[in-house]
């Protein structure tokens, strides 16, 4: 490259730099404008920017909480309660949605005409109505119309359904129960490793892998024992005043939010699963069938892994949508982080601080899910040249 | 060897009677048969009890009694003609756009301007159904009039594609003019009686908010999409931050923040109407998603196109205008329809920030002591409206994708 | 320095004669790195004279496409210098614009604009870059389309033409700028075999009319018949330069021999 002097306005490197400086100036100017007005307006109202209010007394009740909470606790604790409630909905919601979505997506390919039609109907119905409407419907048209606690419905001998919510058996809250849970997790990992090892032996050495089969059976038996006895199940018992003790009590609000979100997002996930499976080239189906694989093995070993690669990015979007839509819980009085923050804002008038807290919460959740799903995405990509 | 001439034979006839079909699709194997029986049983039971509820126990009078509320909320009755005009205007321009988009220039021989026989039959059935609706006659006449406007617009659109080269620009201009007119008809002023924004309710508000947001978010979305694709690091950084930030926040949160914070960050003496704040929130939200959709369109253009444009001596603005944007937008239209569909549903969230659109007005109606407890009836009715609108839009979107031949070379 | 007539095209194959002609492309020690790591061009120098047809051959990854793409600033280079028709190729926007007007390029993937008709594809540059009025541009375009034998398809869209037809339109489109030199980046590699002939014939006619051409290709037949000079590139370096007779029958370098044994 020669070093002759090029007039600045004709040098393309110059323009690239100028453009960027211009962009920075515009952004700073806009931000400055907003901040200036903000300071002016806040001064006019006599409010200062600080997070001190978080330690003031909350003086409002929260319908349900995972941690103990009283109205005399601080706003900060109230916020935490809301956060845990949100997480309760989001995590369980994502798991159930995945299950429902995959089941519905695969069911679209069923041989059974009736099943295909029902799934199609489900998807069309739930995708074309707003989530807010569905939540309202679940809460007002379904749960409030359920029988009152006194006349509750009993399913499978220990599942109670009433307009207060659902009560079902759950594991106890003692050290023995938690240790058993830990033990079950450990056994699950051991079983997985044994299974992998067994497959490896069968494939590499042609052995029958019988020994490891016995190991697996042993693991299974221990797990069963732990499951039934170790976990110390508690059963819901409803006394004469209608209060429920023991077991897991899911409020009507929680159930409505959960079911509404799961059914709504599940419809979208099923479409993603369907298009993922369809994206696998037809030649793969044919090759697998030619190799003699039956439909179960075919789906599990050939089609689904490839479909997974296509599915993960849109699936990430749906998970994020689910988390964001959970904020609608405010409409049916489920105290999630958004609802609680809204109350805090109404009571303290700290608009900027509270809005920042809500934004930070959702953005962090968003970021965590995106990072995790991106890792998953990278690990399932096909290695190419 | 016999020298037989080999005539094409007809294949052995396949029994296509009902029994064979049922056997294959419903009772193929014991698992399926069990499933069919089980599900069929549950389905019939459910349908029967639902049907019973619909016809006897449900009290549907809440719907006809509040129909105007659902549609236009508390818009003054004397000004209803303005609402009809808005509907007529939007439907005509919509028909025009539809006609323009579905007559693809690239398919030779498909310059059929008239409507196909099937379409005409469908329209006939629709018209018949409208006549049967339990509505006062002048309303029915209006609806039929609007239907014919839609058809007329579609016809004109198709005609325009053949005769007018810049039909795209004309239609875009028509949209801009219509939206301005709609705004005037809604708000009043300049000769019309003013109608406060808090009286804009119901389906009217839903449609208005959806259209305005997607219209205003277009330029914003384009800027940020191009910014994200840019090779200048700072511009790219700002664009990515904007897009990811607003896509990561729940719409409710953004609307809420708009309601609460907009008065704080703008000069105190600017009185911002609630509706304007909501429009701002919706627009920012939509623009982030639209930017991603446009980026998808930009990425679908092979790199060679831009290289060819550079090799021909076109500078960046020219190649953007002549080569990149026409192709990108074509690829983006289906994604945009999808976005509009979600936006349409998302307008229901305005109910949470105090604007009374279709979902919001139902809650108002339910609060009326005369109609206490009619949750199921009202929500089912509103759901049906959304269903019809959204299904129509997704059908249209599929048709568009097929017609535009996106990606076909 | 080789002497004698090129048997096929009858042009004087004498470097001394050629050197009195104008230099159209002068590349001196051009070096390029990808991502500051991969040294794709390691100092290539080449001069192309007016009216010459230079064919560049070499194994894939040798940098031959990258090299010709530096001529019209589609690829940047970090060291060395390139002069097109006396204009220095640098960061100067005015120079880049001027150079792009003088250099036409035909791509492997045709890169026709699918949303425009054939005629609109060809008139694009004359109208928007050379600022010709539409009528004049269309006249020029139709003449060029006739020259490549495709005038009757003028109102059609690229998607409706075959690969060979599209590539001929691409040639016409590049010619519409009335360039001083035409670059061809593997123009027939993406074509079905039965269409390669028609494109090569068009290029041959172009060469006989005196256009300066630099062609990256694997088509040995074309190289033998039309090229004035063949250049072998490998691993970012220019290995050997000779006229077709010498190149194919009497290669001097080992790497040339190896390459020829693989393609002949």
């Amino acid at each position: 490259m020669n070093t002759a002097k090029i007039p600045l306005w004709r040098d393309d490197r110059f323009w690239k730099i100028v453009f960027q400086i211009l962009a920075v100036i515009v952004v700073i100017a806009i931000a400055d404008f907003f901040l200036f007005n903000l300071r002016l307006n806040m001064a006019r109202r006599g409010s200062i920017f600080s997070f001190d209010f978080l330690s003031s007394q909350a003086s409002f009740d929260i319908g349900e909480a995972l941690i103990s909470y009283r109205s005399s606790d601080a706003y900060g604790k109230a916020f935490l309660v809301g956060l845990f409630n949100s997480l309760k909905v989001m995590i369980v919601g994502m798991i159930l949605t995945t299950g429902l979505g995959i089941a519905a997506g695969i069911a679209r390919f069923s041989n059974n005409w009736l099943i295909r039609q029902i799934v199609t109907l489900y998807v069309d119905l739930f995708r074309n109505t707003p989530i807010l409407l569905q939540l309202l419907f679940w809460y007002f048209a379904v749960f409030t119309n359920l029988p009152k606690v006194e006349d509750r419905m009993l399913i499978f001998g220990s599942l109670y359904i009433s307009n207060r919510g659902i009560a079902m058996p759950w594991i106890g809250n003692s050290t023995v129960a938690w240790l058993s849970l830990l033990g079950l997790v450990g056994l699950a990992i051991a079983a997985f490793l044994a299974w992998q090892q067994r497959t490896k032996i069968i494939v590499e050495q042609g052995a029958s892998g019988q020994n490891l089969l016995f190991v697996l059976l042993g693991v299974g038996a221990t797990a069963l024992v732990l499951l039934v006895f170790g976990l110390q199940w508690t059963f819901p018992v409803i006394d004469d005043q209608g209060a429920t003790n023991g077991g897991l009590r899911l409020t009507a609000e929680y159930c409505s939010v959960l079911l509404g979100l799961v059914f709504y997002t599940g419809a979208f996930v099923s479409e993603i699963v369907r298009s993922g499976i369809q994206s696998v080239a037809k030649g793969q189906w044919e090759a697998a069938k030619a190799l003699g694989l039956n439909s179960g093995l075919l789906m599990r070993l050939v089609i689904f892994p490839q479909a997974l690669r296509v599915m993960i990015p849109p699936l990430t979007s749906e998970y994020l949508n689910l988390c964001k839509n959970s904020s609608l819980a405010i409409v049916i009085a489920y105290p999630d982080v958004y609802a609680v923050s809204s109350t805090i804002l109404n009571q303290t008038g700290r608009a900027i601080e509270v809005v920042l807290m809500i934004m930070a919460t959702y953005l962090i959740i968003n970021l965590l899910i995106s990072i995790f799903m991106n890792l998953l995405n990278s690990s399932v990509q096909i290695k190419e040249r | 060897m016999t020298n037989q001439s080999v005539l094409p034979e007809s294949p052995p006839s396949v029994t296509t009677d009902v029994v064979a079909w049922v056997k294959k699709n419903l009772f193929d194997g014991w698992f399926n048969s069990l499933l069919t029986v089980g599900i069929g049983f549950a389905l019939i039971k459910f349908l029967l009890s639902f049907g019973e509820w619909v016809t006897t126990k449900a009290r549907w009078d809440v719907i006809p009694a509040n129909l105007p509320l659902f549609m236009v909320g508390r818009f003054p009755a004397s000004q209803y003609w303005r609402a009809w005009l808005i509907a007529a205007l939007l439907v005509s321009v919509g028909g025009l756009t539809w006609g323009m988009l579905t007559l693809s220039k690239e398919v030779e021989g498909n310059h059929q301007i008239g409507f196909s026989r099937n379409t005409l039959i469908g329209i006939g059935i629709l018209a018949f159904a409208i006549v049967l609706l339990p509505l006062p006659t002048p309303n029915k006449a209006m609806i039929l009039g609007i239907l014919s406007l839609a058809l007329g617009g579609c016809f004109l659109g198709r005609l325009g594609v053949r005769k007018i080269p810049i039909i795209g620009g004309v239609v875009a201009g028509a949209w801009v003019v219509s939206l301005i007119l709609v705004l005037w008809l809604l708000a009043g002023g300049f000769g019309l009686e003013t109608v406060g924004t808090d009286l804009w309710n119901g389906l009217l508000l839903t449609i208005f908010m959806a259209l305005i947001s997607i219209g205003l978010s277009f330029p914003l979305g384009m800027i940020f999409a191009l910014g994200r694709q840019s090779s200048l690091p700072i511009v790219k950084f700002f664009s990515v931050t904007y897009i990811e930030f607003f896509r990561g926040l729940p719409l409710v949160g953004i609307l809420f923040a708009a309601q609460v914070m907009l008065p704080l960050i703008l000069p105190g003496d600017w009185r911002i109407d609630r509706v304007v704040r909501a429009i701002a929130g919706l627009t920012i939200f939509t623009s982030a998603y639209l930017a991603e959709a446009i980026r998808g369109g930009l990425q679908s253009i092979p790199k060679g196109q831009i290289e060819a444009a550079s090799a021909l001596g076109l500078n960046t603005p020219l190649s953007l205008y002549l080569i990149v944007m026409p192709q990108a937008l074509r690829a983006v239209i289906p994604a945009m329809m999808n976005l509009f569909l979600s936006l349409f549903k998302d307008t229901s969230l305005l109910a949470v920030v105090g604007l009374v659109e279709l979902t919001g007005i139902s809650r108002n109606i339910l609060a009326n002591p005369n109609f206490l407890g009619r949750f199921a009836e009202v929500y089912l009715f509103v759901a049906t409206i959304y269903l019809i609108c959204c299904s129509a839009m997704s059908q249209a979107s599929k048709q568009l994708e097929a017609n535009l031949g996106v990606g076909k070379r | 320095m080789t002497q004698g007539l090129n048997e096929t095209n009858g042009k004087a194959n004498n470097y001394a004669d050629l050197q009195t002609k104008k230099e159209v492309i002068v590349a001196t020690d051009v070096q390029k790195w990808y991502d500051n790591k991969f040294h794709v061009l390691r100092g290539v120098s080449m001069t192309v004279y007016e009216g010459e047809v230079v064919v560049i051959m070499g194994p894939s990854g040798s940098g031959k496409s990258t090299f010709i793409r530096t001529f019209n600033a589609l690829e940047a280079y970090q060291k060395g210098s390139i002069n097109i028709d006396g204009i220095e190729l640098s960061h100067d926007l005015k120079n880049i614009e001027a150079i792009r007007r003088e250099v036409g390029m035909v791509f492997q993937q045709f890169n026709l604009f699918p949303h425009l008709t054939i005629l609109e594809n060809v008139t694009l540059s004359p109208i928007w870059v050379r600022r010709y009025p539409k009528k004049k541009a269309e006249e020029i375009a139709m003449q060029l389309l006739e020259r490549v034998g495709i005038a009757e398809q003028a109102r059609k869209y690229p998607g409706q033409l075959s690969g060979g037809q599209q590539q001929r339109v691409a040639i016409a489109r590049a010619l519409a700028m009335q360039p001083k030199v035409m670059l061809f980046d593997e123009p027939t590699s993406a074509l079905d075999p039965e269409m390669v002939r028609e494109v090569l014939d068009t290029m041959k006619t172009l060469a006989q009319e005196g256009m300066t051409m630099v062609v990256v290709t694997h088509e040995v037949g074309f190289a033998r018949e039309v090229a004035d000079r063949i250049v072998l590139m490998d691993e970012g370096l220019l290995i050997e330069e000779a006229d077709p007779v010498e190149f194919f029958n009497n290669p001097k370098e080992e790497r040339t021999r190896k390459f020829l044994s693989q393609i002949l």
Side-chain angles (χ1 to χ4, degrees), chain C residues 110 150 158-168 191 195 198:
Chain C
F110 333 138
I150 235 175
Q160 298 168 294
L161 301 186
S162 74
Q165 292 171 319
Q166 288 189 48
Q167 193 63 302
R168 285 189 276 152
L191 292 174
M195 293 192 258
E198 65 191 59

Side-chain angles (χ1 to χ4, degrees), chain A residues 64-313:
Chain A
E64 52 184 288
L66 269 181
I67 52 179
S68 69
Y69 170 82
R70 279 189 301 269
S71 52
S72 53
D73 286 326
Y75 280 122
K77 195 159 186 205
F79 184 82
L80 229 59
V81 170
L83 186 63
F84 285 144
N85 282 342
S86 275
L87 290 174
K88 218 168 56 159
V89 165
M90 290 182 194
I91 295 178
V92 179
M94 284 195 280
I95 297 176
L96 290 179
T97 304
T98 315
L100 180 62
I102 292 182
I106 294 186
R108 283 270 216 153
F109 295 95
S110 160
N111 296 337
N112 193 320
W113 175 88
L114 200 63
I115 293 192
R116 282 205 304 268
Q117 296 307 93
I118 292 184
V119 175
T120 312
L121 203 69
Y122 157 66
V123 169
D124 284 340
L125 213 71
F126 280 79
R127 281 201 327 162
N128 285 321
T129 40
I131 173 68
L132 184 65
L133 203 67
Q134 293 183 30
L135 280 179
L136 289 170
F137 191 83
W138 277 103
Y139 188 65
F140 287 109
V142 175
F143 271 91
T144 19
N145 282 337
L146 286 175
K148 293 208 266 279
V149 178
E150 297 84 49
D151 317 313
R152 62 196 171 274
M153 307 197 301
L154 187 62
I155 305 187
F156 303 138
S158 57
L159 193 72
Y160 293 100
I161 301 184
S162 72
N163 70 351
R164 285 252 208 94
I166 299 180
M168 59 183 185
W170 197 243
I171 55 178
N173 203 359
S174 64
T175 23
V176 181
W178 284 109
L179 282 173
S180 308
L181 195 63
L182 223 66
L184 274 173
V185 172
L187 284 172
I189 298 177
F192 179 66
L193 287 171
W195 177 257
Q196 274 203 321
Q197 185 68 2
R198 179 167 179 262
T199 321
K200 198 165 164 216
I201 291 184
I202 293 178
V203 169
E204 288 181 5
Q205 301 168 12
S208 66
Q210 278 240 336
N211 304 340
L212 282 169
L213 193 62
F214 289 134
V215 169
L216 279 171
L217 283 172
V219 165
T222 325
L224 204 64
V225 168
L226 271 181
L227 194 72
V228 174
F229 297 109
L231 287 178
Q232 301 193 324
W233 295 93
T234 54
F235 292 88
V237 169
I238 305 187
D239 61 20
D240 303 320
Q241 285 92 17
T244 324
N245 290 315
L248 182 71
R249 291 170 323 272
L250 305 167
T251 55
E253 288 80 11
Y254 177 74
C255 292
S256 310
V257 177
L258 191 65
L259 287 171
L261 284 174
V262 167
F263 275 90
Y264 179 74
T265 322
F268 286 90
V269 172
S270 86
E271 278 299 281
I272 292 174
V273 170
R274 181 184 65 92
S275 67
I277 293 180
Q278 278 181 333
S279 76
V280 179
K282 197 140 181 284
Q284 298 286 311
W285 290 80
E286 295 173 346
K289 279 195 204 152
L291 283 172
L293 295 172
N294 66 21
S295 31
L297 278 175
L298 186 148
M299 190 55 94
R300 187 163 69 92
L301 293 173
V302 178
I303 304 296
F304 207 69
Q306 294 188 60
L308 209 60
R309 285 167 192 103
V310 179
M311 289 198 298
I312 292 189

Side-chain angles (χ1 to χ4, degrees), chain A residues 1-2 6-7 9-13 15, chain C residues 77 79-80 88-94:
Chain A
M1 280 297 191
N2 72 338
I6 304 169
W9 76 88
R10 293 206 319 232
D11 192 336
D12 62 348
R13 291 168 301 186
W15 280 112
Chain C
Y77 60 97
K79 268 193 174 166
E88 167 91 33
L89 185 58
S90 64
H91 284 297
D92 192 338
L93 284 168
K94 186 152 160 266

